[in-house]
Amino acid sequence: MNRTIVIATDTWEPQINGVVRTLKRTVDTLCSWGHHVEVIHPYLFRPIRIPGFNDLELTHGLNRPRINRMLRGFEPGAIHVATEGPLGLAVRRYCTHNRVPFTTWHHTDFPATLPRHLPISQRIIYGYMRWFHRHSSTIMVNTPRMRDKLLAHGFTQPMRVWSGGVDTDLFRPRPKTPRSRPVALYVGRIVKEKNLEKFLECAGDYDKVLVGDGAARADLERRYPQSRFVGVLSGEPLARAYADADVFVFPSITDTFGLVLIEALACGVPVAAYPVQGPADILQGDGVGCLSSNLGAAIDRALADHDPQRCRDLALQYSWQNSARQFVSNLAYVQPADSLDEAEPHILPAFGAEKQQAGKRRAA
């Protein structure tokens, strides 16, 4: 059996965001298990920057016959459409026109974010999204809360959770730098939709440090000179920045998950956030942070009352191996699942009886 998994995404390296990190780690994990994975991404074509989204590039001048040839050449065993942009749309079109089963992923709350940048209503955005995902065999969502939200907006396809993960060997507690004031840390893109002004306007006896870059950085650095913007970090320097913080601040109200939350928790650092999707799904239990509609109060409470070991224990539930197993078990397989008997023994359990029955129905 051909075991190629094809993933189509409108965002890929060198872009830095949670979607890219999740896809890259998933691909790496699947390959280590013996899967063959092909990624169709913008840098195989002509990426262009989007006005108002300087840190985002999408594919321009898509050649539909070329994409069709690529997909036929891969002879995919499963196709996953990770984004609702031009590339995702092109691969979706191939699947629907050729009656090929595919899965999709809803990971960004576009109805909440796009109206801030474009004159477009939530009703229109939800209409497009319902249409885009309509023929998906399964919509993967980050949390049960997002599934319930989509159901409330008229989505009818089967939905299954696919959560992110964390490298708990890299992101771990470390000794903190001696200092006179605590450090409140933010890690992520420095863009308008991350609601960073709410964090930067908080008054408290702590220093604010922001890791990352984006279209809003220059303006925010000018307006909030007391805060420290250190730019993009990765690997060991990023892990040290997390571990050296006393509280991690997550001011976004539109993110559907937040990998950075788990990375901070893995370093023993509590989280302060709003009680919205993402943080409310992850921050379960005492001593791991505080959720409040008053972000400043959440920061103060997280600093005063937290347990680094409980933070770490919560993060340990989110491994990249578990995330990849979720992903594989959610896929819709192009070939009859009966032929999975030829698969490697350590891969077989991820498919499960439910997917095998679904494969038999498709093959009938």
Side-chain angles (χ1 to χ4, degrees):
M1 172 187 172
N2 187 294
R3 302 198 58 79
T4 300
I5 297 172
V6 175
I7 298 175
T9 174
D10 289 277
T11 180
W12 192 242
E13 296 178 316
Q15 297 178 44
I16 301 174
N17 55 58
V19 173
V20 172
R21 287 208 305 279
T22 299
L23 291 175
K24 184 65 170 61
R25 288 305 300 260
T26 300
V27 169
D28 291 345
T29 303
L30 294 179
C31 289
S32 74
W33 290 349
H35 287 282
H36 179 213
V37 184
E38 295 283 354
V39 180
I40 301 177
H41 57 81
Y43 302 100
L44 298 175
F45 304 90
R46 282 195 299 153
I48 60 169
R49 290 196 178 275
I50 306 303
F53 298 84
N54 292 335
D55 55 340
L56 177 64
E57 294 180 308
L58 294 178
T59 307
H60 173 67
L62 275 177
N63 184 312
R64 188 186 304 178
R66 181 184 173 193
I67 289 181
N68 292 349
R69 287 194 300 271
M70 290 174 66
L71 286 164
R72 286 193 294 268
F74 294 150
E75 297 181 354
I79 297 176
H80 178 66
V81 179
T83 53
E84 297 108 334
L87 261 178
L89 189 62
V91 175
R92 174 197 179 278
R93 182 187 297 114
Y94 170 89
C95 293
T96 55
H97 283 196
N98 292 280
R99 299 182 180 274
V100 175
F102 65 100
T103 54
T104 54
W105 183 24
H106 176 76
H107 48 74
T108 302
D109 196 350
F110 286 121
T113 58
L114 283 182
R116 299 182 180 185
H117 303 274
L118 301 170
I120 186 170
S121 69
Q122 286 194 357
R123 181 181 62 83
I124 293 174
I125 299 170
Y126 270 119
Y128 169 77
M129 289 168 52
R130 282 193 298 270
W131 171 85
F132 185 93
H133 294 277
R134 185 173 60 200
H135 295 294
S136 173
S137 298
T138 298
I139 304 174
M140 301 190 200
V141 294
N142 292 329
T143 64
R145 190 181 300 256
M146 175 50 64
R147 176 196 60 207
D148 295 342
K149 184 174 183 178
L150 294 182
L151 287 172
H153 283 279
F155 286 70
T156 59
Q157 286 69 31
M159 285 181 256
R160 300 185 70 179
V161 171
W162 177 32
S163 60
V166 63
D167 182 344
T168 54
D169 292 327
L170 175 63
F171 297 102
R172 64 184 188 277
R174 305 160 191 249
K176 298 188 187 299
T177 303
R179 51 181 172 256
S180 58
R181 281 162 43 108
V183 168
L185 175 72
Y186 166 83
V187 175
R189 293 185 298 132
I190 312 294
V191 292
K192 183 178 180 181
E193 58 263 30
K194 295 299 184 180
N195 203 29
L196 290 172
E197 291 185 21
K198 293 297 184 181
F199 169 40
L200 295 171
E201 290 170 357
C202 288
D205 187 26
Y206 44 80
D207 295 323
K208 302 184 184 78
V209 177
L210 294 88
V211 174
D213 204 356
R217 178 179 173 182
D219 177 60
L220 293 177
E221 278 192 287
R222 178 183 57 81
R223 292 166 53 202
Y224 299 96
Q226 299 306 313
S227 299
R228 186 156 61 96
F229 293 74
V230 300
V232 175
L233 298 177
S234 62
E236 189 72 17
L238 175 60
R240 287 199 301 268
Y242 274 120
D244 199 42
D246 298 282
V247 61
F248 183 80
V249 184
F250 191 77
S252 174
I253 58 175
T254 59
D255 280 57
T256 61
F257 190 70
L259 289 179
V260 289
L261 298 178
I262 309 174
E263 291 172 350
L265 291 168
C267 294
V269 178
V271 174
Y274 289 107
V276 296
Q277 62 185 11
D281 291 288
I282 296 172
L283 298 179
Q284 304 291 328
D286 297 328
V288 296
C290 181
L291 301 174
S292 174
S293 56
N294 183 325
L295 189 61
I299 296 172
D300 292 338
R301 175 70 181 275
L303 283 169
D305 182 18
H306 68 276
D307 183 333
Q309 187 58 53
R310 287 186 177 181
C311 294
R312 173 75 175 174
D313 290 343
L314 178 57
L316 290 175
Q317 300 176 26
Y318 295 90
S319 71
W320 284 117
Q321 288 73 24
N322 285 338
S323 177
R325 289 189 190 100
Q326 283 182 322
F327 175 78
V328 170
S329 68
N330 291 344
L331 290 173
Y333 295 94
V334 175
Q335 299 185 7
D338 289 346
S339 60
L340 292 177
D341 292 340
E342 304 169 9
E344 300 87 335
H346 66 286
I347 295 177
L348 266 173
F351 295 113
E354 177 184 343
K355 284 297 176 184
Q356 291 191 23
Q357 291 301 319
K360 291 175 182 176
R361 289 195 296 271
R362 286 193 297 273

Short mmCIF file of all heavy atoms in Angstrom, two decimals, residues 147-199:
data_model
loop_
_atom_site.label_atom_id
_atom_site.label_comp_id
_atom_site.label_asym_id
_atom_site.label_seq_id
_atom_site.Cartn_x
_atom_site.Cartn_y
_atom_site.Cartn_z
N ARG A 147 -15.04 22.99 18.61
CA ARG A 147 -16.03 22.13 17.96
C ARG A 147 -17.44 22.63 18.26
O ARG A 147 -18.29 22.76 17.36
CB ARG A 147 -15.87 20.70 18.46
CG ARG A 147 -16.92 19.72 17.92
CD ARG A 147 -16.93 18.46 18.75
NE ARG A 147 -17.25 18.76 20.14
CZ ARG A 147 -16.85 18.03 21.19
NH1 ARG A 147 -16.11 16.96 20.98
NH2 ARG A 147 -17.19 18.38 22.42
N ASP A 148 -17.72 22.93 19.53
CA ASP A 148 -19.05 23.39 19.90
C ASP A 148 -19.39 24.73 19.24
O ASP A 148 -20.53 24.97 18.84
CB ASP A 148 -19.15 23.53 21.42
CG ASP A 148 -19.01 22.18 22.13
OD1 ASP A 148 -19.19 21.14 21.46
OD2 ASP A 148 -18.72 22.18 23.34
N LYS A 149 -18.38 25.58 19.10
CA LYS A 149 -18.61 26.88 18.46
C LYS A 149 -18.97 26.70 16.99
O LYS A 149 -19.88 27.37 16.48
CB LYS A 149 -17.36 27.75 18.61
CG LYS A 149 -17.52 29.16 18.05
CD LYS A 149 -16.30 30.01 18.37
CE LYS A 149 -16.49 31.45 17.88
NZ LYS A 149 -15.33 32.30 18.23
N LEU A 150 -18.27 25.82 16.30
CA LEU A 150 -18.57 25.59 14.89
C LEU A 150 -19.95 24.95 14.72
O LEU A 150 -20.70 25.30 13.80
CB LEU A 150 -17.50 24.71 14.26
CG LEU A 150 -16.09 25.32 14.16
CD1 LEU A 150 -15.15 24.34 13.46
CD2 LEU A 150 -16.11 26.66 13.43
N LEU A 151 -20.30 24.04 15.60
CA LEU A 151 -21.64 23.44 15.54
C LEU A 151 -22.71 24.51 15.70
O LEU A 151 -23.74 24.48 15.01
CB LEU A 151 -21.79 22.38 16.63
CG LEU A 151 -21.03 21.06 16.42
CD1 LEU A 151 -21.12 20.19 17.67
CD2 LEU A 151 -21.57 20.32 15.21
N ALA A 152 -22.47 25.46 16.59
CA ALA A 152 -23.44 26.54 16.81
C ALA A 152 -23.58 27.44 15.59
O ALA A 152 -24.61 28.11 15.43
CB ALA A 152 -23.02 27.37 18.03
N HIS A 153 -22.55 27.45 14.72
CA HIS A 153 -22.60 28.27 13.51
C HIS A 153 -22.95 27.45 12.27
O HIS A 153 -22.67 27.87 11.15
CB HIS A 153 -21.28 29.01 13.32
CG HIS A 153 -21.12 30.20 14.23
ND1 HIS A 153 -21.69 31.42 13.95
CD2 HIS A 153 -20.49 30.33 15.42
CE1 HIS A 153 -21.40 32.27 14.93
NE2 HIS A 153 -20.67 31.64 15.83
N GLY A 154 -23.52 26.29 12.47
CA GLY A 154 -24.09 25.56 11.35
C GLY A 154 -23.19 24.56 10.66
O GLY A 154 -23.55 24.05 9.59
N PHE A 155 -22.03 24.24 11.23
CA PHE A 155 -21.17 23.22 10.64
C PHE A 155 -21.76 21.84 10.94
O PHE A 155 -22.17 21.57 12.08
CB PHE A 155 -19.75 23.31 11.20
CG PHE A 155 -18.97 24.48 10.68
CD1 PHE A 155 -19.28 25.79 11.06
CD2 PHE A 155 -17.91 24.30 9.80
CE1 PHE A 155 -18.56 26.87 10.58
CE2 PHE A 155 -17.18 25.37 9.32
CZ PHE A 155 -17.52 26.67 9.70
N THR A 156 -21.81 20.99 9.94
CA THR A 156 -22.45 19.68 10.09
C THR A 156 -21.51 18.50 9.91
O THR A 156 -21.91 17.36 10.15
CB THR A 156 -23.60 19.55 9.09
OG1 THR A 156 -23.10 19.70 7.75
CG2 THR A 156 -24.67 20.61 9.34
N GLN A 157 -20.28 18.73 9.48
CA GLN A 157 -19.35 17.63 9.25
C GLN A 157 -18.90 17.03 10.59
O GLN A 157 -18.90 17.70 11.62
CB GLN A 157 -18.11 18.12 8.48
CG GLN A 157 -18.33 18.38 7.03
CD GLN A 157 -19.21 19.60 6.83
OE1 GLN A 157 -19.19 20.53 7.63
NE2 GLN A 157 -20.00 19.60 5.78
N PRO A 158 -18.45 15.77 10.56
CA PRO A 158 -17.83 15.19 11.76
C PRO A 158 -16.61 16.02 12.17
O PRO A 158 -15.86 16.49 11.31
CB PRO A 158 -17.42 13.78 11.31
CG PRO A 158 -18.27 13.48 10.12
CD PRO A 158 -18.51 14.80 9.45
N MET A 159 -16.43 16.22 13.46
CA MET A 159 -15.29 16.97 13.96
C MET A 159 -14.57 16.16 15.03
O MET A 159 -15.22 15.52 15.87
CB MET A 159 -15.74 18.32 14.53
CG MET A 159 -16.10 19.33 13.48
SD MET A 159 -16.60 20.92 14.17
CE MET A 159 -18.37 20.84 13.96
N ARG A 160 -13.25 16.18 14.98
CA ARG A 160 -12.45 15.47 15.96
C ARG A 160 -11.29 16.36 16.42
O ARG A 160 -10.77 17.17 15.64
CB ARG A 160 -11.90 14.16 15.38
CG ARG A 160 -13.00 13.20 14.93
CD ARG A 160 -12.45 11.88 14.47
NE ARG A 160 -11.91 11.10 15.60
CZ ARG A 160 -11.38 9.90 15.47
NH1 ARG A 160 -11.28 9.34 14.27
NH2 ARG A 160 -10.91 9.26 16.52
N VAL A 161 -10.92 16.21 17.67
CA VAL A 161 -9.89 17.08 18.26
C VAL A 161 -8.51 16.65 17.81
O VAL A 161 -8.18 15.46 17.75
CB VAL A 161 -9.99 17.04 19.80
CG1 VAL A 161 -8.80 17.75 20.44
CG2 VAL A 161 -11.30 17.66 20.26
N TRP A 162 -7.72 17.66 17.45
CA TRP A 162 -6.28 17.47 17.18
C TRP A 162 -5.55 18.59 17.93
O TRP A 162 -5.53 19.72 17.49
CB TRP A 162 -5.98 17.53 15.68
CG TRP A 162 -4.51 17.43 15.36
CD1 TRP A 162 -3.57 16.74 16.06
CD2 TRP A 162 -3.82 18.04 14.26
NE1 TRP A 162 -2.34 16.88 15.47
CE2 TRP A 162 -2.47 17.67 14.36
CE3 TRP A 162 -4.23 18.86 13.21
CZ2 TRP A 162 -1.51 18.11 13.45
CZ3 TRP A 162 -3.28 19.29 12.30
CH2 TRP A 162 -1.93 18.92 12.41
N SER A 163 -5.00 18.27 19.08
CA SER A 163 -4.34 19.28 19.90
C SER A 163 -2.85 19.35 19.55
O SER A 163 -2.30 18.44 18.94
CB SER A 163 -4.50 18.95 21.38
OG SER A 163 -3.94 17.69 21.68
N GLY A 164 -2.23 20.43 19.94
CA GLY A 164 -0.81 20.61 19.69
C GLY A 164 0.04 19.89 20.71
O GLY A 164 -0.46 19.15 21.56
N GLY A 165 1.34 20.10 20.63
CA GLY A 165 2.26 19.41 21.53
C GLY A 165 3.39 20.31 21.96
O GLY A 165 3.46 21.49 21.60
N VAL A 166 4.30 19.74 22.72
CA VAL A 166 5.44 20.49 23.24
C VAL A 166 6.63 19.54 23.38
O VAL A 166 6.46 18.36 23.70
CB VAL A 166 5.10 21.15 24.60
CG1 VAL A 166 4.79 20.09 25.65
CG2 VAL A 166 6.22 22.06 25.06
N ASP A 167 7.81 20.04 23.12
CA ASP A 167 9.06 19.30 23.33
C ASP A 167 9.46 19.50 24.79
O ASP A 167 10.07 20.52 25.15
CB ASP A 167 10.13 19.84 22.38
CG ASP A 167 11.45 19.09 22.50
OD1 ASP A 167 11.65 18.37 23.50
OD2 ASP A 167 12.30 19.24 21.60
N THR A 168 9.12 18.56 25.63
CA THR A 168 9.35 18.73 27.06
C THR A 168 10.80 18.52 27.45
O THR A 168 11.18 18.77 28.60
CB THR A 168 8.46 17.76 27.86
OG1 THR A 168 8.65 16.42 27.39
CG2 THR A 168 6.99 18.15 27.72
N ASP A 169 11.65 18.03 26.54
CA ASP A 169 13.08 17.97 26.82
C ASP A 169 13.71 19.35 26.64
O ASP A 169 14.58 19.75 27.43
CB ASP A 169 13.76 16.97 25.88
CG ASP A 169 13.34 15.54 26.17
OD1 ASP A 169 13.07 15.23 27.34
OD2 ASP A 169 13.27 14.74 25.22
N LEU A 170 13.28 20.07 25.62
CA LEU A 170 13.80 21.42 25.39
C LEU A 170 13.18 22.41 26.36
O LEU A 170 13.89 23.20 27.01
CB LEU A 170 13.51 21.85 23.95
CG LEU A 170 13.88 23.29 23.58
CD1 LEU A 170 15.38 23.52 23.71
CD2 LEU A 170 13.40 23.61 22.16
N PHE A 171 11.85 22.38 26.46
CA PHE A 171 11.14 23.33 27.32
C PHE A 171 10.97 22.69 28.69
O PHE A 171 10.13 21.82 28.91
CB PHE A 171 9.79 23.70 26.70
CG PHE A 171 9.92 24.40 25.38
CD1 PHE A 171 9.71 23.72 24.20
CD2 PHE A 171 10.29 25.74 25.32
CE1 PHE A 171 9.84 24.36 22.97
CE2 PHE A 171 10.44 26.38 24.10
CZ PHE A 171 10.22 25.69 22.93
N ARG A 172 11.81 23.13 29.63
CA ARG A 172 11.86 22.55 30.96
C ARG A 172 12.26 23.63 31.96
O ARG A 172 12.82 24.67 31.58
CB ARG A 172 12.86 21.41 31.01
CG ARG A 172 14.29 21.86 30.77
CD ARG A 172 15.27 20.69 30.72
NE ARG A 172 16.65 21.14 30.68
CZ ARG A 172 17.30 21.51 29.59
NH1 ARG A 172 16.68 21.46 28.41
NH2 ARG A 172 18.57 21.91 29.64
N PRO A 173 11.97 23.44 33.25
CA PRO A 173 12.38 24.43 34.26
C PRO A 173 13.90 24.57 34.33
O PRO A 173 14.63 23.59 34.17
CB PRO A 173 11.81 23.85 35.56
CG PRO A 173 10.71 22.94 35.12
CD PRO A 173 11.15 22.37 33.81
N ARG A 174 14.35 25.79 34.55
CA ARG A 174 15.78 26.09 34.70
C ARG A 174 15.93 27.17 35.78
O ARG A 174 14.95 27.87 36.10
CB ARG A 174 16.37 26.61 33.39
CG ARG A 174 16.14 25.68 32.19
CD ARG A 174 16.29 26.45 30.88
NE ARG A 174 15.84 25.66 29.73
CZ ARG A 174 16.64 25.17 28.79
NH1 ARG A 174 17.93 25.39 28.87
NH2 ARG A 174 16.14 24.49 27.78
N PRO A 175 17.12 27.34 36.32
CA PRO A 175 17.34 28.40 37.32
C PRO A 175 17.06 29.78 36.71
O PRO A 175 17.40 30.04 35.55
CB PRO A 175 18.80 28.24 37.70
CG PRO A 175 19.14 26.83 37.35
CD PRO A 175 18.32 26.50 36.15
N LYS A 176 16.45 30.65 37.50
CA LYS A 176 16.13 32.00 37.02
C LYS A 176 17.24 32.98 37.33
O LYS A 176 17.98 32.82 38.30
CB LYS A 176 14.82 32.47 37.65
CG LYS A 176 13.61 31.61 37.29
CD LYS A 176 12.32 32.22 37.78
CE LYS A 176 11.14 31.29 37.57
NZ LYS A 176 10.91 30.96 36.15
N THR A 177 17.35 33.99 36.50
CA THR A 177 18.34 35.05 36.70
C THR A 177 17.98 35.88 37.93
O THR A 177 16.82 36.31 38.06
CB THR A 177 18.39 35.97 35.48
OG1 THR A 177 18.69 35.19 34.31
CG2 THR A 177 19.45 37.06 35.66
N PRO A 178 18.91 36.13 38.86
CA PRO A 178 18.60 36.98 40.01
C PRO A 178 18.21 38.39 39.55
O PRO A 178 18.85 38.97 38.67
CB PRO A 178 19.92 37.00 40.81
CG PRO A 178 20.65 35.78 40.35
CD PRO A 178 20.27 35.58 38.91
N ARG A 179 17.14 38.95 40.13
CA ARG A 179 16.67 40.28 39.74
C ARG A 179 15.77 40.83 40.83
O ARG A 179 15.32 40.10 41.73
CB ARG A 179 15.92 40.22 38.41
CG ARG A 179 14.82 39.16 38.38
CD ARG A 179 14.11 39.11 37.06
NE ARG A 179 13.21 37.99 36.98
CZ ARG A 179 13.43 36.87 36.29
NH1 ARG A 179 14.55 36.74 35.59
NH2 ARG A 179 12.56 35.89 36.30
N SER A 180 15.50 42.12 40.74
CA SER A 180 14.70 42.80 41.77
C SER A 180 13.20 42.75 41.48
O SER A 180 12.39 42.92 42.39
CB SER A 180 15.14 44.27 41.89
OG SER A 180 15.00 44.93 40.63
N ARG A 181 12.82 42.53 40.21
CA ARG A 181 11.40 42.51 39.86
C ARG A 181 11.08 41.28 39.02
O ARG A 181 11.94 40.81 38.27
CB ARG A 181 11.04 43.77 39.05
CG ARG A 181 10.84 45.02 39.91
CD ARG A 181 10.91 46.32 39.12
NE ARG A 181 10.20 46.32 37.86
CZ ARG A 181 9.06 47.00 37.63
NH1 ARG A 181 8.47 47.65 38.62
NH2 ARG A 181 8.54 47.03 36.43
N PRO A 182 9.86 40.76 39.14
CA PRO A 182 9.48 39.62 38.31
C PRO A 182 9.41 40.01 36.83
O PRO A 182 9.32 41.20 36.49
CB PRO A 182 8.08 39.24 38.83
CG PRO A 182 7.86 40.04 40.05
CD PRO A 182 8.81 41.18 40.05
N VAL A 183 9.43 38.99 35.97
CA VAL A 183 9.33 39.19 34.53
C VAL A 183 8.02 38.59 34.03
O VAL A 183 7.72 37.42 34.29
CB VAL A 183 10.52 38.54 33.79
CG1 VAL A 183 10.26 38.49 32.29
CG2 VAL A 183 11.80 39.31 34.08
N ALA A 184 7.25 39.42 33.32
CA ALA A 184 6.04 38.97 32.64
C ALA A 184 6.37 38.84 31.16
O ALA A 184 6.76 39.82 30.51
CB ALA A 184 4.90 39.95 32.86
N LEU A 185 6.23 37.65 30.61
CA LEU A 185 6.71 37.34 29.26
C LEU A 185 5.56 37.11 28.29
O LEU A 185 4.54 36.50 28.64
CB LEU A 185 7.58 36.07 29.31
CG LEU A 185 8.08 35.52 27.97
CD1 LEU A 185 9.17 36.42 27.39
CD2 LEU A 185 8.60 34.09 28.16
N TYR A 186 5.74 37.60 27.06
CA TYR A 186 4.87 37.23 25.94
C TYR A 186 5.75 36.66 24.84
O TYR A 186 6.83 37.19 24.55
CB TYR A 186 4.12 38.45 25.39
CG TYR A 186 3.48 38.19 24.04
CD1 TYR A 186 2.25 37.56 23.94
CD2 TYR A 186 4.12 38.54 22.85
CE1 TYR A 186 1.66 37.27 22.72
CE2 TYR A 186 3.55 38.27 21.61
CZ TYR A 186 2.32 37.64 21.55
OH TYR A 186 1.76 37.37 20.32
N VAL A 187 5.29 35.58 24.20
CA VAL A 187 5.99 34.99 23.05
C VAL A 187 4.96 34.81 21.94
O VAL A 187 3.89 34.24 22.15
CB VAL A 187 6.62 33.63 23.40
CG1 VAL A 187 7.21 32.99 22.14
CG2 VAL A 187 7.69 33.78 24.46
N GLY A 188 5.30 35.31 20.76
CA GLY A 188 4.40 35.15 19.62
C GLY A 188 4.58 36.26 18.61
O GLY A 188 5.51 37.08 18.71
N ARG A 189 3.70 36.28 17.64
CA ARG A 189 3.76 37.33 16.63
C ARG A 189 3.36 38.67 17.24
O ARG A 189 2.44 38.75 18.05
CB ARG A 189 2.85 36.99 15.45
CG ARG A 189 3.32 35.77 14.66
CD ARG A 189 2.46 35.55 13.43
NE ARG A 189 1.08 35.30 13.77
CZ ARG A 189 0.03 35.90 13.21
NH1 ARG A 189 0.22 36.83 12.29
NH2 ARG A 189 -1.20 35.61 13.57
N ILE A 190 4.06 39.73 16.83
CA ILE A 190 3.75 41.07 17.32
C ILE A 190 2.83 41.73 16.29
O ILE A 190 3.26 42.48 15.41
CB ILE A 190 5.04 41.92 17.53
CG1 ILE A 190 6.07 41.13 18.31
CG2 ILE A 190 4.69 43.23 18.24
CD1 ILE A 190 5.69 40.81 19.73
N VAL A 191 1.56 41.39 16.37
CA VAL A 191 0.58 41.85 15.40
C VAL A 191 -0.67 42.30 16.14
O VAL A 191 -0.91 41.95 17.30
CB VAL A 191 0.23 40.75 14.38
CG1 VAL A 191 1.42 40.45 13.47
CG2 VAL A 191 -0.23 39.48 15.08
N LYS A 192 -1.49 43.06 15.43
CA LYS A 192 -2.67 43.68 16.04
C LYS A 192 -3.61 42.67 16.65
O LYS A 192 -4.16 42.87 17.75
CB LYS A 192 -3.39 44.52 14.97
CG LYS A 192 -4.60 45.28 15.49
CD LYS A 192 -5.21 46.11 14.38
CE LYS A 192 -6.43 46.87 14.89
NZ LYS A 192 -7.05 47.69 13.79
N GLU A 193 -3.85 41.56 15.94
CA GLU A 193 -4.86 40.61 16.41
C GLU A 193 -4.48 39.88 17.69
O GLU A 193 -5.31 39.19 18.29
CB GLU A 193 -5.20 39.59 15.32
CG GLU A 193 -4.03 38.78 14.83
CD GLU A 193 -3.43 39.35 13.55
OE1 GLU A 193 -3.49 40.58 13.37
OE2 GLU A 193 -2.89 38.56 12.76
N LYS A 194 -3.24 40.02 18.16
CA LYS A 194 -2.83 39.36 19.40
C LYS A 194 -3.21 40.16 20.64
O LYS A 194 -2.95 39.73 21.77
CB LYS A 194 -1.33 39.10 19.39
CG LYS A 194 -0.87 38.11 18.32
CD LYS A 194 -1.50 36.74 18.49
CE LYS A 194 -0.98 35.74 17.48
NZ LYS A 194 -1.58 34.40 17.64
N ASN A 195 -3.81 41.36 20.45
CA ASN A 195 -4.36 42.14 21.57
C ASN A 195 -3.27 42.56 22.56
O ASN A 195 -3.50 42.64 23.78
CB ASN A 195 -5.42 41.30 22.28
CG ASN A 195 -6.42 42.12 23.06
OD1 ASN A 195 -6.70 43.27 22.70
ND2 ASN A 195 -6.95 41.57 24.14
N LEU A 196 -2.08 42.85 22.05
CA LEU A 196 -0.93 43.11 22.92
C LEU A 196 -1.05 44.39 23.72
O LEU A 196 -0.43 44.52 24.80
CB LEU A 196 0.35 43.12 22.09
CG LEU A 196 0.77 41.76 21.54
CD1 LEU A 196 1.93 41.89 20.57
CD2 LEU A 196 1.14 40.82 22.67
N GLU A 197 -1.79 45.35 23.22
CA GLU A 197 -1.93 46.61 23.97
C GLU A 197 -2.51 46.38 25.36
O GLU A 197 -2.16 47.08 26.31
CB GLU A 197 -2.78 47.60 23.18
CG GLU A 197 -2.10 48.12 21.92
CD GLU A 197 -2.91 49.20 21.22
OE1 GLU A 197 -3.77 49.81 21.89
OE2 GLU A 197 -2.69 49.41 20.02
N LYS A 198 -3.42 45.41 25.48
CA LYS A 198 -4.01 45.12 26.79
C LYS A 198 -2.94 44.67 27.78
O LYS A 198 -3.00 45.01 28.97
CB LYS A 198 -5.08 44.04 26.65
CG LYS A 198 -6.31 44.49 25.86
CD LYS A 198 -7.03 45.63 26.57
CE LYS A 198 -8.30 46.01 25.83
NZ LYS A 198 -9.01 47.14 26.49
N PHE A 199 -1.96 43.92 27.30
CA PHE A 199 -0.84 43.52 28.17
C PHE A 199 0.07 44.70 28.46
O PHE A 199 0.43 44.94 29.62
CB PHE A 199 -0.07 42.40 27.48
CG PHE A 199 1.26 42.05 28.11
CD1 PHE A 199 1.41 42.01 29.49
CD2 PHE A 199 2.36 41.74 27.32
CE1 PHE A 199 2.63 41.68 30.06
CE2 PHE A 199 3.57 41.41 27.89
CZ PHE A 199 3.71 41.39 29.26
#
